[in-house]
Amino acid sequence: MRTAARFAVYAGDMFHSCVSAAVMAVLLAFAVAAPPRARAADAPKDIAGLWKAKHLVNTSASRGPVIVRHDAGGWRAEIAGWSAPVRVDDRTISFELSGALGSFTGRWEAQRTRIAGHWIQPPNVDAGVPYASPLTLLRDGAVWRGNVVPLDDPMTFFLTIAPAAAGDAPRTRGAFIVNPERNLGWMWRVDRLERDGSAVKLIASPQRKNGVVAQGTYREADDVLSFYFDGRGGTYDFARVGADDATEFYPRGRPGAPYTYARPVAEHDGWATASLEDVGFSRPRIESFIRMLIDTPMDSVHAPQVHGVLIARHGKLVLEEYFHGESRDRPHETRSAAKSVTATLFGAAMQAGLPVSTSMPVYRAMHGGTFPPDLDPRARALTVDSLLTMSSGLDCDDGDDASPGREETMWDLPPHSDFYKFALDLKMIRPPGQRSVYCSIQPNLVGGVLTRTTHQSLPVLFHELLAKPLQIGRYYLDLQPTGEVFMGGGLRMLPRDFMKFGQLMLAGGTWNGHRVLSRQWVAQASAPRMDLGRYKYGYLWWVIDFPYNGSTLRTYSALGNGGQLVMVIPKLDMVVAIYGANYADQGTFLLQTVYVRQYVLPAVID
């Protein structure tokens, strides 16, 4: 009414100034129409659509140039504005930053012109564990220089909110979350959003007892949704993703992105590259496969989240494609596929002549060469062979929530707990070698035997026996509370580098002419030694047979939760690597086996 009155006074003044009645009518009409337009502006803004929030959560990990110097004041290290005293002896050098910002342990090499070791970064939010990564310091005059590149700790959430549908409760919208780092959207089971003014809630599906997953606010003036995620980095501000904006929510930025095959780029990592046609692949069929991945609808939390597909044949890398913002330069989670690396490390130790063998009694090795008194006879009979085939007989089963030795129970132990002691204290419930049961404490114990027997740390063994000969320069080993490497899974590597473990096995234990494993070890590790679930199991490698051209095609694979796969196909002289993010979801198996059977194998024409 105040707006109409203001225009009426203005019109009256104009009338007395000889303005026509027609002009006054137009002004009055505008005055009457204004209030409805103002009321429309007061309507709540629609929040349907795609939203994104991302944090670099753990910023405490030090990074950048590091300098170690020795002067009249003694030995000191400097990194990222921090300084710390250095401990030095004839063989080793180490330092630790205050405030748990990182530490370093290394060895003198090449007449003290080089220090080779590992940087230990603090626990991240993603996995909640510290990581060890290689760090070499080279002498430069009176100092030794290097560069710390810690594992980044991003946490990303995409929130999809559906338009209001007929029959929906007032203020309720269908919704789901995609979280590429941990797949928390699936674990939380979010299926709808409730809005009451500026207050918003993310609600779990009816199968979840807790109901409300997160609460937050919608700031309409800024068009921002904010939610607090406990234990995942605090409050996340979600920005709307425009209809024309490219985003890693989609496999290649936006739906329908074009694709044309290109030969992989040659890097200084030991991989020779070639085109698909050079090694007997149908380019149209592989292009059709990649286009299918690009066009996969991201319409639910269960949609396949493929991060990378790589193929090598006849020793040459011929396909390398990445999706959802991943790249050849970004380390990827390998989950339990790294269990196969544990077997590879043990085989490499044997090849190097270290005092280990698969027939070693585990309890004797872990207790300094003597058996503990009053030990169960079945425990005395436990050897490394049974650990490598998941047939230890220990009371552990990762698929049974009530199992006392399951991996989740172990990780829930108090801080600084000894995982080796936890495993060795379990009861024996069957003779070793009788039955295979999937349980991550078994390959982890393999690591314990290695380090106790060789008197070398697992990071040093991994670097010397595997990383150096395989030309792997960047990796991140996840650590137990006691500081040793967890050998039950979780290694992070560049996709091309992790694929090398499959090529190493395919080549009979060699990489670019350097022998890492014996041929005998490769044959033993890849043989179907035990039944484990629906498949056969070797030394921490899964053995799976596929129907192919009227016969059976034997493969063996490193498999990990979420869709991690390195599959070796000896008959076709081929290695396939797939990386994904469908952690704990059914999409894991789609990525690991179905894609290979339905798309990769039919593309082989020679």
Side-chain angles (χ1 to χ4, degrees):
M1 292 297 295
R2 283 194 289 253
T3 302
R6 185 164 60 249
F7 275 103
V9 170
Y10 175 70
D13 290 340
M14 295 296 288
F15 177 81
H16 291 295
S17 300
C18 301
V19 176
S20 69
V23 173
M24 183 176 179
V26 170
L27 293 171
L28 287 174
F30 179 83
V32 171
R37 192 153 56 183
R39 286 195 298 270
D42 292 335
K45 186 179 292 186
D46 188 6
I47 60 173
L50 177 63
W51 301 73
K52 176 187 175 181
K54 183 173 184 176
H55 282 182
L56 187 60
V57 183
N58 186 0
T59 58
S60 64
S62 298
R63 67 176 62 234
V66 57
I67 295 175
V68 171
R69 68 173 74 243
H70 182 216
D71 53 29
W75 289 87
R76 294 201 68 80
E78 301 172 8
I79 176 174
W82 299 92
S83 178
V86 177
R87 298 179 292 276
V88 177
D89 60 30
D90 290 339
R91 298 182 59 189
T92 64
I93 178 170
S94 62
F95 62 88
E96 182 175 355
L97 301 181
S98 61
L101 297 178
S103 63
F104 173 76
T105 299
R107 309 173 309 284
W108 293 108
E109 293 184 349
Q111 298 180 335
R112 293 202 171 194
T113 62
R114 182 171 64 238
I115 305 170
H118 288 82
W119 178 258
I120 311 299
Q121 69 181 78
N124 66 358
V125 172
D126 179 353
V129 299
Y131 286 87
S133 55
L135 174 61
T136 298
L137 307 177
L138 299 177
R139 187 163 188 171
D140 179 15
V143 302
W144 289 260
R145 298 179 184 273
N147 191 55
V148 171
V149 183
L151 185 69
D152 286 336
D153 194 16
M155 190 59 64
T156 311
F157 293 96
F158 291 100
L159 173 61
T160 295
I161 305 173
D168 279 355
R171 309 186 186 92
T172 299
R173 302 289 185 87
F176 66 89
I177 285 179
V178 171
N179 166 240
E181 289 83 15
R182 305 301 292 180
N183 203 18
L184 293 174
W186 162 239
M187 298 176 190
W188 293 340
R189 306 292 204 276
V190 170
D191 73 349
R192 63 192 186 279
L193 178 144
E194 291 184 359
R195 177 183 179 186
D196 186 3
S198 63
V200 287
K201 296 179 182 179
L202 292 173
I203 311 296
S205 62
Q207 289 80 9
R208 293 277 294 198
K209 294 181 179 179
N210 61 343
V212 178
V213 172
Q215 301 187 57
T217 59
Y218 173 56
R219 302 196 302 272
E220 185 170 327
D222 302 323
D223 200 24
V224 171
L225 282 164
S226 295
F227 289 98
Y228 177 79
F229 297 135
D230 188 28
R232 296 296 173 179
T235 298
Y236 285 77
D237 290 338
F238 285 77
R240 194 187 297 268
V241 178
D244 296 326
D245 294 343
T247 171
E248 63 269 34
F249 175 77
Y250 300 108
R252 282 287 170 86
R254 56 172 56 90
Y259 170 71
T260 301
Y261 167 78
R263 173 178 173 163
V265 175
E267 301 280 359
H268 299 292
D269 61 358
W271 275 113
T273 66
S275 69
L276 289 166
E277 296 89 342
D278 292 337
V279 298
F281 270 102
S282 164
R283 178 185 290 207
R285 288 184 178 180
I286 291 296
E287 287 184 333
S288 177
F289 171 41
I290 301 302
R291 288 195 189 100
M292 182 276 294
L293 296 177
I294 292 173
D295 294 338
T296 299
M298 296 294 109
D299 53 3
S300 83
V301 72
H302 303 295
Q305 299 286 329
V306 181
H307 281 177
V309 177
L310 295 84
I311 299 176
R313 195 170 189 215
H314 305 327
K316 298 177 181 180
L317 187 67
V318 297
L319 182 74
E320 183 182 24
E321 300 292 346
Y322 298 99
F323 312 90
H324 297 287
E326 299 296 317
S327 73
R328 69 173 62 91
D329 301 315
R330 184 174 180 181
H332 200 277
E333 170 78 82
T334 64
R335 294 293 180 101
S336 286
K339 288 178 169 66
S340 302
V341 177
T342 300
T344 306
L345 180 60
F346 199 89
M350 292 178 59
Q351 174 64 24
L354 296 178
V356 296
S357 72
T358 58
S359 62
M360 295 179 65
V362 172
Y363 279 82
R364 188 169 66 187
M366 294 298 293
H367 287 89
T370 60
F371 285 112
D374 304 321
L375 187 65
D376 185 327
R378 294 174 296 184
R380 294 175 69 95
L382 174 59
T383 65
V384 172
D385 185 275
S386 292
L387 294 179
L388 291 170
T389 56
M390 296 276 191
S391 62
S392 66
L394 291 167
D395 191 3
C396 67
D397 183 348
D398 286 351
D400 181 359
D401 291 347
S403 174
R406 66 191 293 263
E407 182 180 0
E408 293 300 319
T409 301
M410 183 174 65
W411 282 107
D412 287 339
L413 292 172
H416 311 298
S417 294
D418 186 334
F419 285 3
Y420 298 145
K421 183 178 185 303
F422 170 83
L424 296 171
D425 286 347
L426 293 170
K427 294 180 179 180
M428 296 288 293
I429 59 175
R430 67 181 68 88
Q434 183 181 88
R435 177 187 167 207
S436 288
V437 178
Y438 192 86
C439 182
S440 297
I441 69 165
Q442 298 174 98
N444 191 51
L445 263 181
V446 173
V449 171
L450 269 173
T451 189
R452 297 287 175 85
T453 305
T454 64
H455 305 291
Q456 298 186 51
S457 72
L458 291 173
V460 169
L461 290 170
F462 179 88
H463 191 77
E464 294 299 319
L465 299 178
L466 295 181
K468 286 174 68 173
L470 292 178
Q471 299 170 263
I472 298 172
R474 187 179 176 196
Y475 57 83
Y476 299 88
L477 303 164
D478 51 324
L479 305 182
Q480 306 176 47
T482 51
E484 272 295 3
V485 179
F486 179 64
M487 300 302 291
L491 167 67
R492 303 200 184 198
M493 298 187 73
L494 299 180
R496 288 169 67 134
D497 284 342
F498 192 67
M499 188 184 187
K500 292 175 182 177
F501 292 104
Q503 184 63 39
L504 173 68
M505 295 284 286
L506 180 63
T510 64
W511 172 259
N512 283 340
H514 185 100
R515 181 155 295 282
V516 178
L517 304 170
S518 69
R519 287 190 175 275
Q520 181 183 11
W521 178 265
V522 172
Q524 290 176 336
S526 61
R529 308 174 67 86
M530 301 288 292
D531 292 319
L532 186 51
R534 295 181 297 157
Y535 301 121
K536 299 290 185 179
Y537 206 60
Y539 279 163
L540 302 177
W541 288 85
W542 295 88
V543 182
I544 305 173
D545 292 338
F546 291 145
Y548 179 72
N549 286 351
S551 64
T552 298
L553 190 67
R554 171 144 293 175
T555 73
Y556 56 93
S557 302
L559 298 178
N561 189 358
Q564 322 317 319
L565 164 76
V566 173
M567 178 179 287
V568 182
I569 310 175
K571 186 175 181 179
L572 300 179
D573 194 21
M574 183 164 65
V575 180
V576 179
I578 297 178
Y579 305 93
N582 290 93
Y583 305 111
D585 195 5
Q586 58 195 5
T588 287
F589 304 102
L590 179 69
L591 272 57
Q592 288 172 340
T593 57
V594 175
Y595 285 164
V596 174
R597 292 201 308 267
Q598 293 186 359
Y599 294 97
V600 177
L601 294 181
V604 178
I605 57 177
D606 182 14

